[in-house]
Amino acid sequence: EPEVTQTPSHQVTQMGQEVILRCVPISNHLYFYWYRQILGQKVEFLVSFYNNEISEKSEIFDDQFSVERPDGSNFTLKIRSTKLEDSAMYFCATSGLAEQETQYFGPGTRLLVL
Amino acid sequence: LAKTTQPISMDSYEGQEVNITCSHNNIATNDYITWYQQFPSQGPRFIIQGYKTKVTNEVASLFIPADRKSSTLSLPRVSLSDTAVYYCLVGGGDTDKLIFGTGTRLQVFP
């Protein structure tokens, strides 16, 4: 069964540092998403991405965040200057072309900002 | 986006059938109903999706009444490994973002 993969599985960084989280979508999927889940809290939508541009973003997705698909396969989330409150699990999800297509989630990257 | 309401927690024993009901009174005409399962420190895993009536797959069944204001996820013969949080989500109409609630924490006992 095709899977979404994410790297790294864990990342520890110092406050103010930049981090890049990577996702490899399921091969024929064209819609990409990032979500985050702070420990003990709900899964929160960050951003959706289609056709090389952002489709929708939440209030959380401020100027410190950016997404891109640099090589046509990987889908990345960059946090420019991390804050303590960015510590969370970050999940990538992908879906296919059909309007009601299901979003398939990756295993997540656990980010810890010290 | 339609808000969903589901029980905070449920307990069951191995081998029993578990039914988790979700209310979504403001569901839109073009919204689908999707259920996900999440284990600690893992990504949400798709279980089942439906629009109306009944949908069944190898893992679960989803019952949706005619008015679509609620839905029931049915897990047949649960095992200890079904202990997880189950989320009911409604959407797929005007927006593709998923809005997660707090879910239902299912605890299965031996």
Side-chain angles (χ1 to χ4, degrees), chain A residues 11-21 62-66 77-87 90 111-114:
Chain A
Q11 174 104 39
V12 180
T13 190
Q14 295 290 326
M15 189 170 57
Q17 295 295 305
E18 174 183 285
V19 295
I20 297 176
L21 311 183
D62 61 21
D63 292 343
Q64 294 299 314
F65 292 88
S66 62
L77 173 70
K78 182 193 292 186
I79 308 175
R80 222 178 317 277
S81 177
T82 50
K83 304 187 285 285
L84 296 177
E85 54 265 36
D86 293 327
S87 295
Y90 287 81
L111 176 65
L112 178 60
V113 182
L114 302 176

Side-chain angles (χ1 to χ4, degrees), chain B residues 21-52:
Chain B
T21 297
C22 177
S23 298
H24 27 80
N25 290 315
N26 297 319
I27 189 169
T29 303
N30 54 353
D31 282 341
Y32 273 62
I33 300 155
T34 310
W35 286 78
Y36 283 86
Q37 175 194 55
Q38 188 181 29
F39 298 112
S41 299
Q42 294 187 28
R45 175 178 160 257
F46 170 79
I47 301 174
I48 199 165
Q49 184 180 73
Y51 184 80
K52 62 180 178 181

Side-chain angles (χ1 to χ4, degrees), chain B residues 66-107:
Chain B
D67 66 6
R68 305 201 325 122
K69 293 183 184 299
S70 66
S71 59
T72 299
L73 174 73
S74 181
L75 304 172
R77 297 179 299 282
V78 294
S79 63
L80 295 177
S81 62
D82 292 317
T83 294
V85 179
Y86 292 82
Y87 297 98
C88 162
L89 294 101
V90 170
D94 297 332
T95 176
D96 53 3
K97 69 181 179 187
L98 296 178
I99 304 295
F100 284 81
T102 52
T104 297
R105 187 172 298 277
L106 173 66
Q107 178 70 53

Side-chain angles (χ1 to χ4, degrees), chain A residues 5 10 13 15 23 28 32 34-35 42 47 50 57 66 68 70 79 84 87 91 95 103 105:
Chain A
T5 59
H10 296 77
T13 190
M15 189 170 57
C23 168
N28 60 344
F32 313 114
W34 284 102
Y35 294 80
K42 301 177 190 178
V47 66
Y50 170 70
K57 60 182 181 179
S66 62
E68 64 175 357
I79 308 175
L84 296 177
S87 295
F91 298 111
S95 64
Q103 292 184 27
F105 284 76

